[in-house]
Amino acid sequence: MAAIPGSEALSAALHVISQSLLIPVIIGLLAFMVYAIISFGGLLSEYSSRVKFEVGDVKKLIKDMSNPGTPEHVLEVVEKSDLSENHKEILVSIVESDDLGLKSRESLARKLIENEEYKIAKSLEKTDIVTRLGPTLGLMGTLIPMGPGLAALGSGDINALAQAIIIAFDTTVVGIAAGGVAYVISKVRRRWYEDNLSTLETLAESVLEVLENASKKPAQIT
């Protein structure tokens, strides 16, 4: 059967492109694996320094802020709490907006929390990428060398086939390992950050309520 005109040139181009991707794929896999190991170390460090707020702790903070319920007292309670510095800054920003109207304060609080959500999503983005692309690059690293390896088998070159199989297995293992480690990191951190964000939202609503009540007190006295 006659070859389709141009098919050989297209096949040759595809072969050149696929083989030229092997080195970038291997470099990408090595980078993903190094990043996954570093991120896992960061996860362990974050776990050792993490302060978990139970429901009782949040309840106590709310009670402390509500008594006597002045903006100055709320600032003092927030500064003395075990909240992260980032969350303290958000609550302080809300408290210092006591000169704004109720709707404006609520809008500011919502924007600050949305910005925190964006930071969380951005921090999880890299490990999420490794989770998805690690196995993909591993599969590419498996398939790319198998073409020349099978061609070498056809010509009786067993050593070339063995080398291709070694590369294929190694890239598969590294890709799956990097993706698996990154998946665990993303899963654990997402749970932590969602818990922290829930605590922040609860405290922000309490601060808004305290500020609203404080703004009504002079009117009640008169």
Coordinates of all heavy atoms in Angstrom, one line a residue, residues 145-215:
P145 N 10.0 7.1 25.9 CA 11.1 6.2 25.6 C 10.7 4.9 25.1 O 11.6 4.1 24.6 CB 11.9 6.1 26.9 CG 10.8 6.3 28.0 CD 9.9 7.3 27.4
M146 N 9.5 4.5 25.2 CA 9.1 3.2 24.8 C 9.1 3.0 23.3 O 9.3 1.9 22.7 CB 7.7 2.8 25.3 CG 7.6 2.6 26.8 SD 8.8 1.4 27.4 CE 8.2 -0.1 26.6
G147 N 8.8 4.1 22.5 CA 8.9 4.1 21.1 C 10.2 3.6 20.6 O 10.3 2.6 19.9
P148 N 11.3 4.4 20.9 CA 12.6 3.9 20.5 C 13.0 2.6 21.1 O 13.7 1.8 20.4 CB 13.5 5.0 21.0 CG 12.7 6.2 21.2 CD 11.3 5.7 21.5
G149 N 12.5 2.3 22.3 CA 12.8 1.0 22.9 C 12.2 -0.2 22.1 O 12.9 -1.2 21.9
L150 N 11.0 -0.1 21.7 CA 10.4 -1.1 20.9 C 11.0 -1.2 19.5 O 11.1 -2.3 18.9 CB 8.9 -0.8 20.7 CG 8.0 -0.9 22.0 CD1 6.6 -0.5 21.8 CD2 8.1 -2.3 22.6
A151 N 11.4 -0.1 19.0 CA 12.1 -0.1 17.7 C 13.5 -0.8 17.8 O 13.9 -1.6 17.0 CB 12.4 1.3 17.2
A152 N 14.1 -0.6 19.0 CA 15.4 -1.3 19.2 C 15.2 -2.8 19.4 O 16.0 -3.6 19.0 CB 16.1 -0.7 20.5
L153 N 14.0 -3.2 20.0 CA 13.7 -4.6 20.1 C 13.6 -5.3 18.8 O 14.0 -6.4 18.6 CB 12.4 -4.8 21.0 CG 11.9 -6.2 21.1 CD1 13.0 -7.0 21.9 CD2 10.6 -6.2 21.9
G154 N 13.0 -4.5 17.9 CA 12.8 -5.1 16.5 C 14.1 -5.3 15.8 O 14.2 -6.2 15.0
S155 N 15.1 -4.5 16.2 CA 16.4 -4.7 15.5 C 17.4 -5.6 16.4 O 18.5 -5.7 16.0 CB 17.1 -3.3 15.3 OG 17.3 -2.7 16.5
G156 N 16.8 -6.1 17.5 CA 17.6 -7.0 18.3 C 18.5 -6.3 19.3 O 19.3 -7.0 20.0
D157 N 18.3 -5.0 19.6 CA 19.2 -4.3 20.5 C 18.5 -4.4 21.9 O 17.7 -3.5 22.3 CB 19.4 -2.9 20.1 CG 20.4 -2.1 20.9 OD1 20.8 -2.7 22.0 OD2 20.8 -1.0 20.6
I158 N 18.8 -5.4 22.7 CA 18.1 -5.6 24.0 C 18.6 -4.5 25.0 O 17.8 -4.1 25.9 CB 18.4 -7.0 24.5 CG1 18.0 -8.1 23.5 CG2 17.7 -7.2 25.9 CD1 16.5 -8.0 23.3
N159 N 19.8 -4.1 24.9 CA 20.3 -3.1 25.9 C 19.6 -1.8 25.7 O 19.2 -1.1 26.7 CB 21.8 -2.9 25.6 CG 22.7 -4.1 26.0 OD1 22.3 -4.8 26.9 ND2 23.8 -4.2 25.3
A160 N 19.3 -1.4 24.5 CA 18.5 -0.1 24.3 C 17.1 -0.2 24.9 O 16.6 0.7 25.5 CB 18.5 0.2 22.8
L161 N 16.5 -1.4 24.7 CA 15.2 -1.6 25.2 C 15.2 -1.6 26.7 O 14.3 -1.0 27.4 CB 14.6 -3.0 24.7 CG 13.3 -3.4 25.3 CD1 12.2 -2.4 25.0 CD2 12.9 -4.9 24.9
A162 N 16.2 -2.2 27.3 CA 16.3 -2.3 28.8 C 16.5 -0.8 29.3 O 15.8 -0.5 30.3 CB 17.5 -3.1 29.2
Q163 N 17.3 0.0 28.7 CA 17.5 1.4 29.1 C 16.2 2.2 29.0 O 15.8 3.0 29.9 CB 18.5 2.0 28.2 CG 18.9 3.4 28.7 CD 19.5 3.4 30.1 OE1 20.2 2.5 30.5 NE2 19.3 4.5 30.8
A164 N 15.4 1.9 27.9 CA 14.1 2.6 27.7 C 13.1 2.2 28.8 O 12.4 3.1 29.4 CB 13.6 2.3 26.4
I165 N 13.1 0.9 29.2 CA 12.2 0.5 30.2 C 12.6 1.0 31.6 O 11.7 1.4 32.4 CB 12.2 -1.1 30.3 CG1 11.6 -1.6 29.0 CG2 11.4 -1.6 31.5 CD1 11.6 -3.2 28.9
I166 N 13.9 1.1 31.9 CA 14.3 1.7 33.1 C 13.8 3.2 33.3 O 13.3 3.6 34.3 CB 15.8 1.6 33.2 CG1 16.3 0.2 33.4 CG2 16.3 2.5 34.4 CD1 17.8 0.0 33.4
I167 N 14.0 3.9 32.2 CA 13.6 5.3 32.2 C 12.1 5.4 32.4 O 11.6 6.2 33.1 CB 14.0 6.0 30.9 CG1 15.5 6.1 30.8 CG2 13.4 7.4 30.8 CD1 16.0 6.7 29.5
A168 N 11.4 4.5 31.7 CA 9.9 4.5 31.8 C 9.4 4.2 33.2 O 8.6 4.9 33.7 CB 9.3 3.5 30.8
F169 N 10.0 3.2 33.8 CA 9.6 2.9 35.2 C 10.0 4.0 36.2 O 9.2 4.4 37.1 CB 10.2 1.6 35.6 CG 9.6 0.4 35.0 CD1 10.1 -0.9 35.2 CD2 8.4 0.5 34.2 CE1 9.5 -2.0 34.7 CE2 7.8 -0.6 33.7 CZ 8.4 -1.9 33.9
D170 N 11.2 4.5 36.0 CA 11.6 5.6 37.0 C 10.8 6.8 36.9 O 10.4 7.4 37.9 CB 13.1 6.0 36.7 CG 14.1 4.9 37.0 OD1 13.7 4.0 37.8 OD2 15.2 4.9 36.6
T171 N 10.4 7.3 35.7 CA 9.6 8.5 35.6 C 8.2 8.2 36.1 O 7.6 9.1 36.7 CB 9.5 8.9 34.1 OG1 9.1 7.8 33.3 CG2 10.8 9.4 33.6
T172 N 7.7 7.0 35.9 CA 6.3 6.7 36.4 C 6.3 6.7 38.0 O 5.4 7.4 38.6 CB 5.9 5.3 36.0 OG1 5.9 5.2 34.6 CG2 4.5 4.9 36.5
V173 N 7.3 6.1 38.6 CA 7.4 6.1 40.0 C 7.6 7.5 40.6 O 6.8 7.9 41.6 CB 8.6 5.2 40.5 CG1 8.8 5.4 42.0 CG2 8.3 3.8 40.2
V174 N 8.4 8.3 40.0 CA 8.7 9.7 40.5 C 7.4 10.5 40.3 O 7.0 11.3 41.2 CB 9.9 10.3 39.8 CG1 10.0 11.8 40.2 CG2 11.2 9.6 40.2
G175 N 6.7 10.4 39.2 CA 5.5 11.2 38.9 C 4.4 10.8 39.9 O 3.8 11.8 40.5
I176 N 4.2 9.6 40.2 CA 3.2 9.2 41.1 C 3.5 9.6 42.5 O 2.7 10.0 43.3 CB 2.9 7.6 41.0 CG1 2.3 7.3 39.6 CG2 2.0 7.2 42.1 CD1 2.2 5.8 39.4
A177 N 4.8 9.4 42.9 CA 5.2 9.8 44.2 C 5.1 11.3 44.5 O 4.6 11.7 45.5 CB 6.7 9.4 44.4
A178 N 5.5 12.1 43.5 CA 5.4 13.5 43.7 C 3.9 13.9 43.8 O 3.5 14.8 44.6 CB 6.1 14.3 42.5
G179 N 3.1 13.4 42.9 CA 1.7 13.7 43.0 C 1.0 13.2 44.2 O 0.2 13.9 44.8
G180 N 1.4 12.0 44.8 CA 0.8 11.5 46.0 C 1.2 12.4 47.2 O 0.3 12.7 48.0
V181 N 2.5 12.8 47.3 CA 2.9 13.6 48.4 C 2.2 15.0 48.4 O 1.7 15.5 49.4 CB 4.4 13.8 48.4 CG1 4.9 14.8 49.4 CG2 5.1 12.5 48.6
A182 N 2.1 15.6 47.1 CA 1.5 16.9 47.0 C 0.0 16.8 47.3 O -0.6 17.7 47.9 CB 1.7 17.4 45.6
Y183 N -0.7 15.7 47.0 CA -2.1 15.5 47.3 C -2.3 15.5 48.8 O -3.2 16.1 49.3 CB -2.6 14.2 46.7 CG -4.0 13.8 47.1 CD1 -5.1 14.4 46.5 CD2 -4.2 12.9 48.1 CE1 -6.4 14.1 46.9 CE2 -5.5 12.6 48.5 CZ -6.6 13.2 47.9 OH -7.9 12.9 48.2
V184 N -1.5 14.8 49.5 CA -1.6 14.7 51.0 C -1.4 16.1 51.6 O -2.1 16.5 52.5 CB -0.6 13.7 51.6 CG1 -0.5 13.8 53.1 CG2 -0.9 12.3 51.2
I185 N -0.4 16.8 51.1 CA -0.1 18.2 51.6 C -1.3 19.1 51.4 O -1.8 19.8 52.3 CB 1.1 18.8 50.9 CG1 2.4 18.0 51.3 CG2 1.3 20.2 51.3 CD1 3.6 18.3 50.6
S186 N -1.9 19.1 50.1 CA -3.0 19.9 49.8 C -4.2 19.5 50.7 O -5.0 20.4 51.1 CB -3.4 19.8 48.3 OG -2.4 20.4 47.5
K187 N -4.5 18.2 50.8 CA -5.6 17.8 51.6 C -5.5 18.2 53.0 O -6.5 18.8 53.6 CB -5.7 16.2 51.5 CG -7.0 15.6 52.0 CD -8.1 15.8 51.0 CE -9.3 15.1 51.5 NZ -10.4 15.3 50.5
V188 N -4.4 18.1 53.7 CA -4.2 18.4 55.1 C -4.3 19.9 55.3 O -5.0 20.4 56.1 CB -2.9 17.9 55.6 CG1 -2.6 18.4 57.1 CG2 -2.9 16.4 55.6
R189 N -3.6 20.7 54.4 CA -3.6 22.1 54.5 C -5.0 22.7 54.2 O -5.4 23.7 54.9 CB -2.5 22.7 53.6 CG -1.1 22.7 54.2 CD -0.2 23.4 53.2 NE 1.2 23.5 53.9 CZ 2.3 23.7 53.2 NH1 2.3 23.9 51.9 NH2 3.4 23.9 53.9
R190 N -5.7 22.2 53.3 CA -7.0 22.7 53.0 C -7.9 22.5 54.2 O -8.7 23.4 54.5 CB -7.6 22.0 51.8 CG -8.9 22.5 51.3 CD -9.3 22.0 50.0 NE -8.7 22.6 48.9 CZ -7.7 22.1 48.1 NH1 -7.3 20.8 48.4 NH2 -7.1 22.8 47.2
R191 N -7.8 21.4 54.9 CA -8.6 21.2 56.1 C -8.2 22.2 57.2 O -9.1 22.8 57.8 CB -8.5 19.7 56.6 CG -9.2 19.4 57.9 CD -9.2 17.9 58.1 NE -7.9 17.4 58.1 CZ -7.1 17.4 59.1 NH1 -7.4 17.9 60.3 NH2 -5.9 16.8 59.0
W192 N -6.9 22.4 57.4 CA -6.5 23.4 58.4 C -7.0 24.8 58.0 O -7.5 25.5 58.9 CB -5.0 23.4 58.4 CG -4.3 22.2 59.1 CD1 -5.0 21.2 59.7 CD2 -3.0 21.9 59.1 NE1 -4.1 20.2 60.1 CE2 -2.8 20.6 59.8 CE3 -1.8 22.5 58.6 CZ2 -1.6 20.0 60.0 CZ3 -0.6 21.9 58.8 CH2 -0.5 20.7 59.5
Y193 N -6.8 25.2 56.8 CA -7.1 26.5 56.4 C -8.6 26.8 56.4 O -9.1 27.9 56.8 CB -6.6 26.8 55.0 CG -5.1 26.8 54.9 CD1 -4.4 26.7 53.7 CD2 -4.3 26.9 56.1 CE1 -3.0 26.7 53.7 CE2 -2.9 26.8 56.0 CZ -2.3 26.8 54.8 OH -0.9 26.7 54.8
E194 N -9.4 25.8 56.1 CA -10.9 25.9 56.2 C -11.3 26.1 57.6 O -12.2 26.9 57.9 CB -11.6 24.7 55.5 CG -11.5 24.7 54.0 CD -12.1 23.5 53.4 OE1 -12.5 22.6 54.2 OE2 -12.2 23.4 52.2
D195 N -10.7 25.4 58.5 CA -11.0 25.5 59.9 C -10.6 26.9 60.4 O -11.4 27.6 61.2 CB -10.3 24.4 60.7 CG -10.6 24.5 62.2 OD1 -11.8 24.4 62.6 OD2 -9.6 24.6 63.0
N196 N -9.4 27.4 60.0 CA -9.0 28.7 60.4 C -9.9 29.8 59.9 O -10.2 30.8 60.5 CB -7.6 29.0 59.9 CG -6.6 28.1 60.6 OD1 -6.8 27.5 61.7 ND2 -5.4 27.9 60.1
L197 N -10.3 29.6 58.6 CA -11.2 30.6 58.0 C -12.6 30.6 58.6 O -13.2 31.7 58.8 CB -11.4 30.3 56.5 CG -12.0 31.3 55.6 CD1 -11.2 32.6 55.6 CD2 -12.2 30.8 54.2
S198 N -13.1 29.5 59.1 CA -14.3 29.4 59.8 C -14.3 30.2 61.1 O -15.2 30.9 61.5 CB -14.7 28.0 60.0 OG -15.9 27.9 60.8
T199 N -13.1 30.0 61.8 CA -12.9 30.7 63.1 C -12.8 32.2 62.8 O -13.4 33.0 63.6 CB -11.6 30.2 63.7 OG1 -11.7 28.8 64.0 CG2 -11.3 31.0 65.0
L200 N -12.1 32.6 61.8 CA -12.0 34.0 61.4 C -13.4 34.6 61.1 O -13.7 35.8 61.6 CB -11.1 34.2 60.3 CG -10.9 35.6 59.7 CD1 -10.3 36.5 60.8 CD2 -10.0 35.6 58.5
E201 N -14.2 34.0 60.3 CA -15.5 34.5 60.0 C -16.4 34.6 61.2 O -17.1 35.6 61.4 CB -16.2 33.5 59.0 CG -15.5 33.5 57.6 CD -16.2 32.5 56.7 OE1 -16.9 31.6 57.2 OE2 -15.9 32.6 55.5
T202 N -16.3 33.7 62.1 CA -17.1 33.8 63.4 C -16.7 35.0 64.2 O -17.5 35.7 64.7 CB -16.9 32.5 64.2 OG1 -17.4 31.3 63.4 CG2 -17.8 32.5 65.5
L203 N -15.4 35.1 64.4 CA -14.9 36.2 65.2 C -15.1 37.6 64.5 O -15.4 38.6 65.2 CB -13.3 36.1 65.4 CG -12.9 34.9 66.3 CD1 -11.4 34.8 66.3 CD2 -13.5 35.0 67.7
A204 N -15.1 37.6 63.2 CA -15.3 38.9 62.5 C -16.8 39.3 62.7 O -17.1 40.5 62.9 CB -15.0 38.7 61.0
E205 N -17.7 38.3 62.6 CA -19.1 38.6 62.9 C -19.3 39.1 64.3 O -20.1 40.0 64.6 CB -20.0 37.4 62.6 CG -20.0 37.0 61.1 CD -20.8 35.7 60.9 OE1 -21.3 35.1 61.9 OE2 -20.9 35.3 59.8
S206 N -18.6 38.5 65.3 CA -18.7 39.0 66.7 C -18.2 40.4 66.8 O -18.8 41.2 67.5 CB -17.9 38.0 67.6 OG -18.5 36.7 67.5
V207 N -17.1 40.7 66.2 CA -16.5 42.0 66.2 C -17.5 43.0 65.7 O -17.7 44.1 66.2 CB -15.2 42.1 65.5 CG1 -14.7 43.6 65.4 CG2 -14.1 41.3 66.3
L208 N -18.1 42.7 64.6 CA -19.1 43.6 63.9 C -20.3 43.8 64.9 O -20.8 45.0 65.0 CB -19.6 43.0 62.6 CG -18.6 43.0 61.5 CD1 -19.2 42.2 60.3 CD2 -18.3 44.5 61.0
E209 N -20.7 42.8 65.6 CA -21.8 42.9 66.5 C -21.4 43.8 67.7 O -22.2 44.7 68.1 CB -22.3 41.6 67.0 CG -23.5 41.6 67.9 CD -23.9 40.2 68.4 OE1 -23.3 39.2 68.0 OE2 -24.9 40.1 69.1
V210 N -20.2 43.6 68.2 CA -19.7 44.4 69.3 C -19.7 45.9 68.9 O -20.1 46.8 69.7 CB -18.4 43.9 69.8 CG1 -17.7 44.9 70.8 CG2 -18.5 42.6 70.5
L211 N -19.2 46.2 67.7 CA -19.1 47.6 67.2 C -20.5 48.2 67.1 O -20.7 49.3 67.4 CB -18.3 47.6 65.9 CG -16.8 47.2 66.0 CD1 -16.2 47.3 64.6 CD2 -16.1 48.2 66.9
E212 N -21.4 47.4 66.6 CA -22.8 47.9 66.4 C -23.4 48.2 67.7 O -24.0 49.3 67.9 CB -23.6 46.8 65.7 CG -25.0 47.3 65.4 CD -25.8 46.2 64.7 OE1 -25.3 45.1 64.4 OE2 -27.0 46.5 64.4
N213 N -23.2 47.3 68.7 CA -23.8 47.6 70.0 C -23.1 48.8 70.7 O -23.8 49.5 71.4 CB -23.6 46.3 70.9 CG -24.5 45.2 70.4 OD1 -25.5 45.4 69.8 ND2 -24.0 43.9 70.8
A214 N -21.8 48.9 70.5 CA -21.1 50.0 71.1 C -21.6 51.4 70.5 O -21.6 52.4 71.2 CB -19.6 49.9 70.9
S215 N -21.9 51.3 69.2 CA -22.4 52.6 68.6 C -23.8 53.0 69.0 O -24.2 54.1 69.0 CB -22.4 52.4 67.1 OG -23.3 51.4 66.6

